[in-house]
Structures are given as C-alpha cells and as structure tokens.
Amino acid sequence: MTENTQTPSAPNSELPTQYAPAEVEGKLYERWVERGYFTADPASEKPAYTIVIPPPNVTGSLHLGHAFEHTLIDALTRRKRMQGFETLWQPGMDHAGIATQNVVERELAKEGKSRHDLGREAFVERVWQWKAESGGQISGQMRRLGDGVDWSRERFTMDEGLSQAVQTIFKKLYDDELIYRAERIINWCPRCLTAISDIEVEYQDDDGELVSIRYGEGEDSLVVATTRAETMLGDTAVAVHPDDERYKHLVGREIKLPLTDRSIPVVADTHVDPEFGTGAVKVTPAHDPNDFEIGQRHNLPNLAVMDERAVITAHGPFQGLDRLEARSAIVAALRAEGRIVAEKRPYVHSVGHCSRCKTTIEPRLSMQWWVKVGPLAKAAGDAVRDGKVKIHPQEMEKRYFDWVDNLHDWCISRQLWWGHRIPVWYGPGGEVVCVGPDEQPPAGEGWHQDTDVLDTWFSSGLWPFSTLGWPQQTESLAKFYPNSVLVTGYDILFFWVARMMMFGLYAMDGTPPFHTIALHGMVRDQFGKKMSKSFGNAVNPLDWMDKYGSDAVRFTLAKGANPGIDVPIGEDWVQASRNFANKIWNATRFALMNGATIEGELPPAEQLSATDRWILSRLNKTVAEVDAFYEDYQFAKLADALYHFAWDEVFDWYVELSKTTFFAGGEGAKASGRVLGEVLDVLMRLLHPVVPFVTETLWTTLTGRESIVIAEWPTDSGFRDEAAEAEIENLQAVVTEVRRFRADQGLQPGQKVPARLDLAGTPLAAHEGAIRQLLRLQPEGEGFSATATLPVAGATVALDLSGTIDVAAERKRLSKDLGAAEKEKQQAEAKLGNEAFLAKAPDNVVDKIKGRLAKAEADIARIQAQLDALPAA
C-alpha cells in the first residue's frame, strides 16, 4: 500500500458518538474549495486527466439523474487526483435556448406582456437578468453533493469566450461550404414557434383518424388515404407507382382536387408502395418531408396552407381555423359531397411531439440554416471504428453507428431571440456576408443581421474545447484537450455526444474530444418506472441528502451504476447506505479507542497473527479488484466490493476477531493495532471517491493529516497469504455453522452454552478463544454431556444443550416441518413426472416448480441434520 506523504500532526482519537452529516458536510466542502484542492493548474508537470460536466440547463435544478451522473464523475476525478494526475473537472451551464425563452416569456405573461412588447434587445436583457437571479441554484446543489469541480473555470454557453468560439466555428464551416441556407421541410413547433431538430421530436402513439378520399370522377377517379385531411388543401399532385397497371391510364393527366377549384397531376414515382392501401398517395410538398422529395423530383409547386401557429391560410371556408378544427370541418365537407369512401377511428398511429412543450409538431417548408453533416459524421464514425475513441459499454457502439452513419443534414437555425445569433448579414442588393469574431459586420442602409439564433446543441457541441479557451491556443487547451473520458447518459448519445465528436474532430485537426465515452443508464424508481413529476415518483435529491446525508445518496447511486443499464433506486436503499456510513463511523471509533494507528512501520509478516495476515492479504486483493473495476467503469461492482470488504471482512470479522487480542494487550495487541490502522487508512482512501465526507472526517482523525482529498491512492503491494486466508475461512465456516445451528434451535444470540472444541491438529487451535467469544461458548464443566455434535472445516464442536431447549418439543416441531417439506417434494415431483402437464405448461411455470423441488430437498436435508444433532428424547 502507498505511503502518504502529507505531513502528519498528532492524530485525534476523539470522535463524536454519532455521525451527523449535516454538521460536517458543508464545512468540509468549503474548506476543500478554499484550499484549492479542485483547482487545475495547466502549468503542472503532472499528467492531465480531464472530464467536462454535461452542462445542466440554466432553467433547472439538479434532479436525481444529475446527482447520479455527478457522483460517477466525481468518483473518477477524486481517484485520479489521488493517483497524482492534474485533474480538471470542468463545470458550467447551458443557456438552453427554447427552454429558457419559454420560462422568461411565462414570467412576462404574468405581467400581461409578451417579448414583442419589450423588443428583442430588451427581452434578451431580461433573460440575462433572470439568469443572474436564478442561475446559482444548480451550483449550490453541486456543492451539497460534494462535486469536486474547478469553480474558477465555471463557464456558460453564452459567455463572451464561448460566443467567440461559436462565431469562429460557424465562419469556418461556412467558408468550407459545410453550412448553407436552404428551403426544406423541417419539424416546426406551433407552440414554441421555432424549428426543432429530428432528435428533439418525441414520438408516441396517438388516437387519430384514417379517412379514404375519392379524388376525380368516374373511371378517372382514385382513392387516397390520410390521417391529416387538412393538408389536402395544399396537395399539388397524386402519386402512383410507375408499374401499377391500375393507374397507368391516369399518369400524366390531371384530376380535380375536391373542395377546391384546382386540378392536380397524377405522377409516377417509385417511392409509392403499390401494395399499401390503394397504391395512390396525395402529395403535399410543403407539409410532408417525403412529399417534398417527390415534389423536387417532379418539379411540383410547394403550396403552404398553414401559418407558423398551424392556422389554415388557404382561401375558402376553412381559412382561420386551427389545423385540428380544420381537419374535422374538411372531413365533414367531403362527407357531404360523397367523397369519403371509408373512415377508421380511432386510428392509433405514431405522432411526433415537441420534446419541450409536448405540442404535436408540424412538418413545414421553411428557409433555414443547415450543417452538411456527411463528412463530419463520417469522421465521427471512423474515430470509433479506428479505435481512437472507445465507447463503453461496447455494445452501445451499434446505436452510435446506427445514428452517425445515417445522419441527415442538421437544421441549426431557431426562430428565437435567446441564443447565439447567426453571424450572417444581408445587404440591400441580396448580398450575404458571414462575419467572423474579429471582423466588422457590413454597415450602411439596408444591411441587417439574420434574425435567427443557433440550436443550443451547436454551442454545447463545442464544450470540450471552447471551455478551455479555443479558438485561442491557450495553455489550458494544450494541457487538458482532449478530455480523458466523457461520462454521460445513453439518452443524449445523439443529441450531444455525436455533435461533440463531429465538431471536435473538425476544429481540432482530427483530434477527437475524448478518449473514452462511458455511457450510463437512467435513474428509475424502485419498481423500474421512469421518474417523472407527472407520475408522482420524482425525487429531489436534496430531500434525501437532508435526511440521510450526501454520502448515503452517493453510495446508493454508485451501487446501482452498471454500465449502460438503467438504475432503480428507492428510499430504503438510501437508508441502508446511511446505515453503512454509520457502521464505518462506529467501527472506526471503536478501532481508535483500541489502539488503531498508522504510526510506525507494519511489523514483518512472520511477527503477525494469521488474522492480521489474512486481513492484509484481503486488503491488497480488494485494492487490485477496485482498481480493475474503476478502469472498466464498473461502479456498481466496485461499490459492492468495498461494501462487503468493509462491513463483512473488516468490521464483522477482523474487528471482532481482534477484540481478544486487544483485551489481552502486549505485543500482539500492538501489532494488531498497527494492522487495523493500516487497513482503515487504505479502506478510507478506497472509499473516499464515492463517500467523500465521512471518509475525510475519519481519515484525518486517524492520521492527523491535512486532507484525504490530496492523499495518495492506495496501490496493491503484492502481499498475499493464501494459507492465512484459508485458515480464517475455516474459522468463519465454524462460526457461521454453529451460529446457524444455534438459531435453528431457538437459542438467543447472547445465551451461553457449554461446549467442547476439538481443534487439535488444525490451525484453528490458535483461535479457540476467539471462537468461544464469538459463539458465546462456555468451557465444558463437570457433568458436560455432548447432546449435539457438529463436524465442520476439519474440526468438531460438541454442544451441551441440556437445560437450554425442550428436546421433545423441538423434535416434534422439526418433525412437523420435515413432513411439510417431504409433502412439498412429493407434489413437485408428481407434477414434473406428468408428461401431459410438461407438454402444456409454460417454461416459466416448469422452472418455478423445479425451484420448489430444489428448495424442498434443501429443507429436508437441513431439518434432518438438525434432528440428527438433537440428543435422544
């Protein structure tokens, strides 16, 4: 194990009788920040380790999912700091364009105003004012959780430096012809009044209607089916497959469009599936992405029939109706004309909704700014295929490739006022000028800037290098880019991770933004259900921190963190983690009062007892195991390993086994005190990244040193003692078996029983005192009668139960239990022997019966052994 180089002062063995997290957590955190433990120095010669925080939205507060993610990142960075890395955990927040604008607009609405009443400049100023008042909530919660971020580097995606980075990369992409402006079908939110990207659309099954409408007359008519009858006002063609014999006579001709005075052509296009429905589809190029492509191929006009609020603008009786009102009115009018051939309602189909406000999105033809993602996405895919970037767990690679290999061009313009305004100016003669951060925009009459802002993900995609000062070639950029690992949820693999990969490779000369992408799952409630305010199961992590302490919340979250898998969590589990923190506290307090120390060298192995050698061997194996789990991002496994080593091996066994040594005093007690101090020193350092507060308090008390935050991470010394481990395992087997037998006989834990221990010729002979103490076994006295004999681990324990239990009553009780177990076995065997039953029963039912049989057989063996161990009646 690594020696600690901090200068020690006199250790203080005094600890309060109970651990009170609320009294220590806040003070400890502020001390860590004041002493600069989390501040990263770019001039340091230490190797760099960098992680960026997935920037939370300035509109919100930390939910349990944030606490989960922050716990994992903090554990990684605390460990690397202890390992001697110059560690940077980069904090900051995202300006969250649509979400923030919506919040401030709602505030204005309470005053009876809209953003248009203020005007753009005053509205943006109002948003900055709101950010100044509300933006500090998240940082306060991060401090409560113990996040070891470098607060001196806190960034905001709209601050001056990041704004310069956004303008720089926009200009670079524009000059490289990777950004362009074009009229395309986009996802439009009639509530937020802006375009949104494909990945900001949430699809769900909605009840709608499917109506079949007859276009044209007589033999020259055909039938089309639609769920959006209101869009027929914008139809500019009907399409059929070129090989469909039913409609060949109509291709190239025109038919009457119902409810209008227009005629539209019938076109042949291979996009149409002749086997689906009637094999004829209405074509509305301005309101459907597939129809837009058909329209492009056949030079059809684009006829928009709705405004930005999804209100019908087409001339006629439907003008001014909302799209849903128009749908009903149009179907009614078609029905009155005898044009409805069939109607199906409810018709369940997948419908896109705005991920922010849940409004049904409207495909809309609109002039927008786009990123040509082809070459950028290819580079992002190749970086993973070539091994430059590893995705963990590896099975998530397929989802990543499915996305980046099939990316459509990215619509980056948003019709908002809050955000990075697009740095393009238009002149009076149709001129278009893209302006970089060091350039002056064109001036003069008729010149004006584009009114749109950029998608929030455009600026957050620059996060790994813009936060380090790019486009300037700063000392921090040279030191801390690329990031070591990105820890984030699989749910934003496409929103954020792919964007950062594309921009990082493009802006940083082919160097990816991070070496590893470690994906975690989503936090769910204890029943596996998604947490949501609407479900009534959302948890404010601060409530649990107030009740149980931050360490308990952190340990619970880490204990459930299997890579890429969702994390169920319930309050009972947090309470159990609080109990673990209390166990650590109480056991350390006992150890300090009984001579545990780190002073002096560890005695050589030959001067140590088997118990001491056993715990040191197990300690080193645990160090190696925890290190391997950290390198594989197996947080649940490392937390579980630490939990069982601490609770089961150190506190339940080693401390208990050492009590007789401590009480006896002398050189043995002195050696065990030094071993126990070593174990606690290393254990606290291993636990610290996950439970930082309680370990800081205990470790500084034990060692008298400045802080565990800057202590050295333990290393495996290589010490192993398999013989000692086997010896203590045998001792544990004896104690466990006798305890189980005592419990089966109904003896109270503290009830003393006379016993003879036959340990001669086994290594257990040296542990007779400890075995008797742990099992409450008295020496055999005069008149001792071995009424029960238990052979285990090469030893024999004979117990005198006379006078402690009613043998006849116990035999009667056990005989009754044995009969019930045998009956259960017979019933299970009968079912499993019934071929007719096996042929019909589902696999899970058969497996359940096999499980009942196995349990019954185990119960029979156990009860029979208890009966055999009883004295004769």
Side-chain angles (χ1 to χ4, degrees):
M1 274 68 72
T2 307
E3 289 295 326
N4 198 288
T5 57
Q6 296 179 49
T7 303
S9 57
N12 174 16
S13 61
E14 292 298 320
L15 283 172
T17 55
Q18 290 185 325
Y19 178 50
E23 295 178 12
V24 301
E25 290 179 350
K27 295 175 184 175
L28 285 181
Y29 187 82
E30 290 310 314
R31 185 190 307 161
W32 293 336
V33 173
E34 288 168 6
R35 292 180 178 177
Y37 294 157
F38 306 140
T39 303
D41 180 7
S44 169
E45 294 183 359
K46 296 178 183 178
Y49 186 81
T50 316
I51 296 182
V52 293
I53 190 173
N57 287 352
V58 69
T59 53
S61 59
L62 293 189
H63 51 64
L64 203 57
H66 287 119
F68 170 59
E69 185 169 78
H70 289 203
T71 294
L72 306 187
I73 298 175
D74 198 41
L76 290 173
T77 52
R78 283 179 183 269
R79 173 175 175 261
K80 285 296 182 181
R81 190 177 292 112
M82 295 171 77
Q83 286 182 314
F85 286 78
E86 192 62 32
T87 302
L88 168 60
W89 182 9
Q90 172 67 55
M93 285 183 286
D94 192 281
H95 66 279
I98 295 176
T100 304
Q101 180 157 320
N102 283 346
V103 167
V104 178
E105 286 196 84
R106 284 196 293 270
E107 293 295 316
L108 284 175
K110 295 175 183 177
E111 303 170 15
K113 297 177 182 177
S114 74
R115 60 181 164 124
H116 300 285
D117 294 322
L118 272 67
R120 182 168 195 145
E121 188 174 334
F123 176 78
V124 169
E125 182 58 37
R126 178 70 176 262
V127 181
W128 277 108
Q129 179 185 337
W130 176 88
K131 188 260 180 187
E133 295 169 355
S134 306
Q137 183 177 1
I138 290 174
S139 63
Q141 292 170 318
M142 289 170 62
R143 284 173 159 85
R144 281 290 311 277
L145 189 63
D147 287 2
V149 300
D150 184 347
W151 289 110
S152 69
R153 293 172 175 270
E154 188 174 13
R155 303 303 297 268
F156 180 55
T157 51
M158 285 281 287
D159 69 28
E160 184 177 351
L162 270 66
S163 296
Q164 185 183 46
V166 168
Q167 197 171 350
T168 299
I169 202 162
F170 187 99
K171 170 70 171 173
K172 181 174 170 59
L173 288 163
Y174 182 87
D175 289 346
D176 287 345
E177 298 184 348
L178 292 172
I179 280 183
Y180 63 95
R181 191 170 185 245
E183 192 174 44
R184 300 270 186 86
I185 293 285
I186 47 90
N187 303 300
W188 181 265
C189 176
R191 159 64 183 80
C192 298
L193 298 180
T194 183
I196 59 176
S197 66
D198 291 343
I199 51 178
E200 292 171 301
V201 178
E202 293 179 348
Y203 288 90
Q204 66 184 48
D205 289 340
D206 286 357
D207 287 342
E209 61 180 353
L210 180 69
V211 293
S212 298
I213 309 168
R214 180 170 54 84
Y215 284 25
E217 304 294 341
E219 293 183 359
D220 291 344
S221 67
L222 41 68
V223 175
V224 300
T226 182
T227 58
R228 305 181 68 229
E230 69 278 11
T231 64
M232 69 165 292
L233 300 176
D235 287 359
T236 57
V238 173
V240 298
H241 194 276
D243 298 332
D244 195 331
E245 295 293 335
R246 293 171 295 176
Y247 304 119
K248 278 198 171 181
H249 67 291
L250 289 176
V251 174
R253 295 172 56 185
E254 291 194 342
I255 59 172
K256 183 76 164 46
L257 179 64
L259 305 182
T260 72
D261 58 1
R262 292 191 293 116
S263 292
I264 56 176
V266 177
V267 299
D269 195 281
T270 55
H271 171 76
V272 180
D273 181 1
E275 302 298 324
F276 184 77
T278 64
V281 297
K282 58 192 286 299
V283 182
T284 321
H287 293 278
D288 183 274
N290 293 321
D291 292 3
F292 178 77
E293 297 297 330
I294 295 174
Q296 292 290 98
R297 288 193 289 271
H298 296 276
N299 200 28
L300 299 174
N302 300 316
L303 182 59
V305 295
M306 289 183 221
D307 67 11
E308 61 182 7
R309 298 184 183 276
V311 172
I312 300 297
T313 58
H315 294 296
F318 312 108
Q319 186 174 5
L321 295 180
D322 170 82
R323 56 183 166 169
L324 298 182
E325 296 172 333
R327 183 177 301 171
S328 299
I330 286 171
V331 170
L334 290 167
R335 191 183 297 114
E337 289 191 4
R339 294 279 176 182
I340 299 296
V341 175
E343 297 180 69
K344 184 177 180 181
R345 65 168 67 85
Y347 177 73
V348 179
H349 61 132
S350 182
V351 178
H353 296 259
C354 173
S355 62
R356 290 176 176 83
C357 71
K358 312 308 176 187
T359 301
T360 301
I361 64 105
E362 187 65 41
R364 186 172 189 240
L365 186 65
S366 179
M367 183 68 75
Q368 301 285 346
W369 286 95
W370 304 81
V371 171
K372 188 184 295 183
V373 299
L376 303 175
K378 182 181 184 304
D382 289 346
V384 175
R385 288 189 174 94
D386 297 344
K388 289 182 180 177
V389 177
K390 297 185 183 302
I391 294 180
H392 188 87
Q394 191 173 0
E395 53 265 28
M396 285 286 181
E397 282 186 3
K398 183 180 183 302
R399 296 181 65 176
Y400 176 79
F401 291 136
D402 285 346
W403 180 255
V404 297
D405 293 346
N406 297 284
L407 269 180
H408 299 295
D409 283 1
W410 173 20
C411 177
I412 55 171
S413 45
R414 298 291 181 267
Q415 290 64 57
L416 304 170
W417 286 357
W418 172 245
H420 295 281
R421 194 164 173 180
I422 288 176
V424 172
W425 271 255
Y426 304 105
E431 301 93 339
V432 179
V433 177
C434 180
V435 177
D438 300 321
E439 301 170 349
Q440 290 298 317
E445 188 176 348
W447 283 94
H448 63 280
Q449 187 178 359
D450 195 300
T451 57
D452 289 350
V453 300
L454 287 162
D455 177 12
T456 297
W457 298 104
F458 190 93
S459 52
S460 59
L462 313 180
W463 193 247
F465 51 94
S466 63
T467 51
L468 297 173
W470 187 89
Q472 276 72 43
Q473 298 304 307
T474 64
E475 191 178 20
S476 289
L477 187 65
K479 178 72 174 179
F480 297 114
Y481 187 92
N483 291 185
S484 305
V485 61
L486 173 74
V487 178
T488 192
Y490 64 69
D491 58 319
I492 56 173
L493 180 60
F494 317 127
F495 284 94
W496 189 43
V497 179
R499 310 289 196 224
M500 287 189 289
M501 285 286 285
M502 290 192 295
F503 281 166
L505 289 160
Y506 173 74
M508 300 301 292
D509 298 321
T511 301
F514 18 74
H515 298 301
T516 301
I517 301 166
L519 298 170
H520 59 72
M522 312 300 293
V523 176
R524 296 181 178 272
D525 71 12
Q526 64 201 83
F527 306 109
K529 190 174 182 180
K530 180 181 177 181
M531 284 193 173
S532 167
K533 289 181 181 178
S534 60
F535 295 153
N537 63 350
V539 173
N540 182 343
L542 291 180
D543 293 340
W544 281 353
M545 288 184 222
D546 289 341
K547 195 171 182 181
Y548 303 109
S550 297
D551 284 333
V553 174
R554 290 170 62 115
F555 194 75
T556 305
L557 292 166
K559 213 164 183 286
N562 291 295
I565 299 174
D566 288 348
V567 183
I569 185 172
E571 187 169 359
D572 289 350
W573 305 341
V574 185
Q575 185 173 352
S577 294
R578 188 271 314 274
N579 295 343
F580 178 53
N582 288 342
K583 181 78 170 181
I584 299 170
W585 183 273
N586 292 331
T588 304
R589 187 168 174 270
F590 166 85
L592 289 170
M593 290 190 298
N594 285 275
T597 180
I598 65 163
E599 297 302 316
E601 295 293 326
L602 273 173
E606 58 271 17
Q607 295 179 18
L608 296 176
S609 68
T611 306
D612 290 338
R613 297 196 308 275
W614 161 72
I615 199 64
L616 289 175
S617 184
R618 289 295 308 130
L619 177 65
N620 275 284
K621 285 184 178 180
T622 302
V623 170
E625 191 176 26
V626 168
D627 272 334
F629 287 144
Y630 262 115
E631 295 304 314
D632 199 33
Y633 304 99
Q634 297 280 1
F635 296 98
K637 290 182 179 179
L638 72 88
D640 194 60
L642 286 168
Y643 176 88
H644 287 293
F645 176 70
W647 194 305
D648 300 343
E649 298 187 272
V650 178
F651 304 144
D652 277 359
W653 284 106
Y654 182 73
V655 169
E656 290 300 318
L657 289 171
S658 299
K659 282 182 179 178
T660 53
T661 306
F662 288 138
F663 295 158
E667 289 301 313
K670 184 177 179 181
S672 291
R674 180 63 188 88
V675 170
L676 182 52
E678 179 78 6
V679 171
L680 291 175
D681 170 24
V682 174
L683 176 59
M684 293 307 157
R685 286 187 274 153
L686 289 174
L687 281 166
H688 173 72
V690 182
V691 284
F693 295 108
V694 67
T695 52
E696 170 80 333
T697 305
L698 295 176
W699 188 84
T700 52
T701 301
L702 170 70
T703 66
R705 292 179 171 133
E706 178 182 339
S707 175
I708 197 171
V709 178
I710 54 172
E712 290 185 34
W713 181 253
T715 56
D716 175 9
S717 71
F719 176 78
R720 300 288 189 275
D721 193 325
E722 301 298 338
E725 289 196 43
E727 183 174 326
I728 301 305
E729 283 173 11
N730 285 337
L731 183 153
Q732 291 171 327
V734 170
V735 172
T736 301
E737 179 62 21
V738 176
R739 278 176 173 169
R740 185 188 62 76
F741 178 78
R742 287 177 56 114
D744 288 341
Q745 304 307 319
L747 298 177
Q748 294 300 314
Q751 188 173 350
K752 294 183 178 180
V753 176
R756 177 190 301 135
L757 272 59
D758 184 3
L759 309 175
T762 75
L764 294 178
H767 302 284
E768 180 169 350
I771 292 173
R772 287 189 177 278
Q773 179 180 328
L774 290 170
L775 291 171
R776 303 292 189 269
L777 301 180
Q778 293 177 318
E780 53 185 301
E782 188 175 345
F784 175 83
S785 174
T787 58
T789 302
L790 301 174
V792 57
T796 303
V797 179
L799 304 173
D800 183 355
L801 302 179
S802 58
T804 59
I805 61 171
D806 184 334
V807 175
E810 185 64 14
R811 186 173 290 280
K812 183 177 180 181
R813 181 184 71 81
L814 289 172
S815 297
K816 182 179 179 181
D817 290 347
L818 181 62
E822 288 173 337
K823 183 178 180 180
E824 175 73 7
K825 178 187 176 185
Q826 291 169 0
Q827 290 176 342
E829 286 178 332
K831 285 190 176 181
L832 294 173
N834 186 333
E835 295 296 333
F837 169 77
L838 293 176
K840 295 179 181 178
D843 290 344
N844 66 315
V845 173
V846 174
D847 289 342
K848 187 175 181 180
I849 294 171
K850 287 180 179 177
R852 285 169 50 192
L853 175 61
K855 182 179 184 300
E857 290 174 337
D859 287 344
I860 291 169
R862 175 179 56 80
I863 297 168
Q864 189 62 58
Q866 291 174 233
L867 281 167
D868 293 343
L870 285 174

